[in-house]
Amino acid sequence: MVLPIDNPTKSFWIEGAESPLRNHRTTEDLPKETDVLIIGSGYTGASFAYWLHKFTNENGTTPKMVMLEARDICGGATGRNGGQLRPHFYSRYKNWSERFGSDGALKIIEHEAAHLKVFDHLLGEENLKEKVCFKLGETFDAAMSDEAWQRLKGEYEKMKFDHGENGSIIRECRLIESQKEAEEFTQMKGCLATVVHPSGQVWPYKFVHALLTILLDAGKLNLQANTPASEISERGSDGLITVKTPRGEIKAKTVVHATNRWAGHLMDEFSKLIYAGRGTIAAIKAPEGFLKNTGAQHWDSVINNYHLQLPPPYNTIIIGGAKPLTVHDPWQYINNDKEDEQFKGVPEFYAAWPKRDVLDWQGKDPAEFEKGTNEGGVWSGVYSSSIDSFPFVGPVPRREGHFVAAGFAGHGMPRILGSTAHLAPIVLDSLGIKNYNQPESAKIFPPLPKPFLATEERIDNLQNIDAIKKFQDEHTDNISSSKKIFAAPFPQIVTD
Ligand SMILES: Cc1cc2nc3c(=O)[nH]c(=O)nc-3n(C[C@H](O)[C@H](O)[C@H](O)COP(=O)(O)OP(=O)(O)OC[C@H]3O[C@@H](n4cnc5c(N)ncnc54)[C@H](O)[C@@H]3O)c2cc1C
């Protein structure tokens, strides 16, 4: 049982946004009762509330909504992530097609890819593109070793083989196999070859705060910062669920658990299924427009970095990963909740990264962080690993009135908006609200991929997985990566 700690490292996204909503409490006291209680104010909670509003606004049927947040508003993974809205266009194809068949894999990819169109549509409609630093463009997977290229090209070839040259998704991907051209395109020194595909980027914390502002301005939401839900009941004979917080109780007809890594605190059946994984990010000062595309460097399937550059006036490079360094001590990130600590040696690793890895770097060396190391320049954040690598979305089996959308791991940006668009009408139906319309942007999504569904069978079967063994296997695998030649040349190697 674990709740979010209250002193995480500071993130540039949060500190740099200076949002007036940071500690927002719509009312001094918690409301006594509501129709929908949303627990968690990250991307999941905020986008779910946004969809409920959009589905019902025209008909005036919006239910009463209250949102509880244990930390500052959007203080969890969404306020601490890498900002990449980067669907897996091809790079997980082999694994997914082995598990779900070639069409099943394609359905997951199409759902992720649709997020680019939906973000573009929704942010255009709300006139928010500039405000949340949204950009569409291309992204690359840079192969920094032969091993990486074999894997990346293998994924691409397999998908092309299964779905044909003109498959809807594969034709949006392209290979650059000449080393010179790959280096030029990626701007990554030593890149051997690359796969390129469409992608997006956004300031995730600003995006969430912008959605919540729409709801608050419309008078549709009561938002309560720094209010952890500590206990939750089953639905009582009065048709209500009681949620306890240190500030008193609140009763709700339905509860939506948008609690990501922490879902297991209130619902024990998820405590083995969703667990911590810790990542690290830095915000580096850079010359305007220096990096042309978002991208990732890959040495093997474990060791990588990923980065983007924000548009003006920020121009900040956001870099994450640092795996060439942290792979030497995998318990720093596997099943690790220590968001209040920096990774050992990582600030120095990031400061050296531009000069070491970026072609013709024109910024400072060592790189300068946007804020002091512990003031938002470098931070750590807990993403939620799911035991079968997919989120849990839908009505919670055996818990009437409870709904979940959690466990989005380090890859929630191209999955959550579609998941909450799927969940919104289910919750409205459960409340007996018939008069609602699917908004245009939600219509763009194909159906939610089956592996995301929180079915009774899936949840029960997953209880049998030995999580400790899974962590140990991952550790062993990561340690073997740390012994490879490309993990060695980096400074500040941690061995203790
Ligand atoms: C370092 C890092 C880098 C990442 N980079 C990327 C990336 O580049 N691209 C990408 O797609 N994904 C990335 N991710 C993953 C992505 O951030 C998440 O998948 C996504 O933000 C999850 O959104 P969420 O709303 O479900 O969870 P969160 O943002 O974690 O929100 C859950 C909220 O619930 C609150 N909460 C939990 N329990 C309670 C309770 N009992 N009572 C009240 N409140 C509670 C938490 O405080 C938290 O604010 C990254 C994650 C991390 C940590």
Side-chain angles (χ1 to χ4, degrees):
M1 304 284 246
V2 55
L3 278 170
I5 55 168
D6 58 11
N7 58 341
T9 48
K10 291 183 179 172
S11 116
F12 167 75
W13 298 124
I14 300 177
E15 305 305 321
E18 295 178 357
S19 170
L21 282 193
R22 185 164 175 165
N23 295 300
H24 180 93
R25 284 181 177 171
T26 307
T27 50
E28 202 174 314
D29 295 324
L30 276 191
K32 295 273 173 262
E33 215 175 294
T34 188
D35 296 325
V36 185
L37 181 71
I38 301 162
I39 308 180
S41 70
Y43 173 14
T44 301
S47 61
F48 173 78
Y50 173 81
W51 288 128
L52 269 200
H53 165 58
K54 292 302 272 189
F55 271 77
T56 53
N57 194 32
E58 265 178 26
N59 300 309
T61 51
T62 316
K64 276 191 282 175
M65 289 188 263
V66 174
M67 185 180 286
L68 303 182
E69 169 53 55
R71 289 181 175 165
D72 295 351
I73 300 306
C74 194
T78 314
R80 329 178 60 72
N81 75 15
Q84 300 245 11
L85 175 58
R86 191 172 191 267
H88 289 316
F89 263 73
Y90 75 99
S91 58
R92 298 293 185 278
Y93 183 76
K94 277 190 183 168
N95 177 291
W96 292 350
S97 60
E98 275 164 25
R99 289 175 67 184
F100 312 115
S102 54
D103 286 342
L106 194 63
K107 284 189 173 128
I108 304 171
I109 296 170
E110 284 170 346
H111 183 260
E112 293 199 10
H115 280 74
L116 300 181
K117 287 198 187 94
V118 180
F119 261 81
D120 195 48
H121 188 280
L122 183 157
L123 293 174
E125 200 172 63
E126 303 290 359
N127 199 18
L128 285 173
K129 284 188 188 176
E130 208 174 313
K131 185 164 190 178
V132 304
C133 297
F134 173 70
K135 265 175 71 179
L136 287 177
E138 286 193 306
T139 193
F140 58 79
D141 283 315
M144 308 300 294
S145 69
D146 289 326
E147 181 183 343
W149 185 235
Q150 253 184 339
R151 178 174 75 82
L152 296 169
K153 191 175 177 187
E155 298 276 3
Y156 172 89
E157 299 286 5
K158 168 92 173 109
M159 190 162 152
K160 195 159 95 174
F161 179 80
D162 285 358
H163 296 281
E165 188 87 30
N166 291 321
S168 59
I169 294 286
I170 202 70
R171 69 166 179 259
E172 296 189 61
C173 307
R174 65 193 162 95
L175 307 187
I176 303 180
E177 297 199 68
S178 129
Q179 182 170 358
K180 186 164 176 297
E181 282 172 36
E183 261 194 335
E184 270 170 19
F185 184 87
T186 62
Q187 300 171 269
M188 294 291 110
K189 280 187 200 167
C191 168
L192 301 177
T194 185
V195 186
V196 179
H197 64 78
S199 189
Q201 64 181 75
V202 69
W203 188 312
Y205 177 89
K206 284 194 177 193
F207 168 62
V208 163
H209 279 232
L211 294 186
L212 293 174
T213 302
I214 292 172
L215 293 158
L216 292 169
D217 288 351
K220 295 289 181 70
L221 178 68
N222 185 307
L223 178 61
Q224 296 287 336
N226 304 308
T227 309
S230 48
E231 271 179 60
I232 198 151
S233 76
E234 294 308 312
R235 191 181 253 171
S237 53
D238 55 358
L240 298 173
I241 295 160
T242 306
V243 177
K244 285 193 184 161
T245 85
R247 299 175 56 218
E249 285 184 2
I250 174 164
K251 286 180 182 285
K253 290 181 187 156
T254 55
V255 173
V256 176
H257 296 258
T259 42
N260 197 30
R261 181 268 173 271
W262 300 279
H265 180 81
L266 297 171
M267 297 185 293
D268 192 41
E269 63 270 43
F270 289 99
S271 56
K272 266 177 74 180
L273 311 192
I274 300 176
Y275 54 93
R278 195 170 66 118
T280 161
I281 310 279
I284 291 173
K285 285 190 182 168
E288 181 176 333
F290 189 73
L291 292 176
K292 309 295 173 229
N293 300 289
T294 72
Q297 299 164 282
H298 301 271
W299 284 267
D300 67 1
S301 59
V302 170
I303 302 184
N304 57 48
N305 289 315
Y306 54 96
H307 63 263
L308 58 80
Q309 181 168 17
L310 291 175
Y314 303 100
N315 303 317
T316 310
I317 290 179
I318 301 289
I319 168 151
K323 281 292 189 69
L325 177 70
T326 62
V327 72
H328 293 276
D329 184 6
W331 293 127
Q332 282 194 99
Y333 50 85
I334 300 171
N335 195 29
N336 185 315
D337 270 302
K338 293 183 183 152
E339 278 180 302
D340 55 339
E341 287 180 11
Q342 300 281 6
F343 282 66
K344 295 175 220 164
V346 157
E348 295 80 2
F349 174 89
Y350 286 137
W353 177 79
K355 180 73 180 166
R356 188 182 58 226
D357 286 21
V358 181
L359 211 56
D360 303 324
W361 170 244
Q362 285 159 19
K364 291 207 170 148
D365 177 41
E368 205 179 335
F369 298 125
E370 285 288 0
K371 296 190 176 283
T373 307
N374 293 316
E375 298 306 314
V378 185
W379 63 96
S380 61
V382 165
Y383 47 81
S384 53
S385 300
S386 144
I387 199 110
D388 68 355
S389 307
F390 287 95
F392 296 86
V393 182
V396 182
R398 296 181 286 263
R399 288 187 190 262
E400 219 183 304
H402 292 256
F403 299 83
V404 66
F408 288 95
H411 189 62
M413 298 303 291
R415 289 184 164 178
I416 290 173
L417 201 56
S419 297
T420 52
H422 165 87
L423 194 57
I426 298 178
V427 172
L428 290 170
D429 288 342
S430 84
L431 287 165
I433 296 173
K434 304 254 180 287
N435 213 358
Y436 61 81
N437 303 101
Q438 193 180 28
E440 287 307 311
S441 40
K443 285 182 190 160
I444 299 170
F445 282 119
L448 194 71
K450 285 205 179 114
F452 287 29
L453 298 177
T455 63
E456 193 167 327
E457 191 190 7
R458 177 179 170 212
I459 291 171
D460 289 352
N461 287 343
L462 290 174
Q463 304 296 335
N464 300 322
I465 294 185
D466 181 347
I468 302 295
K469 179 173 180 310
K470 192 172 150 58
F471 302 151
Q472 266 154 0
D473 290 348
E474 191 180 337
H475 184 270
T476 306
D477 193 38
N478 283 218
I479 285 294
S480 67
S481 279
S482 77
K483 302 211 159 68
K484 292 179 186 171
I485 183 86
F486 37 73
F490 293 91
Q492 304 279 346
I493 289 173
V494 178
T495 48
D496 58 335

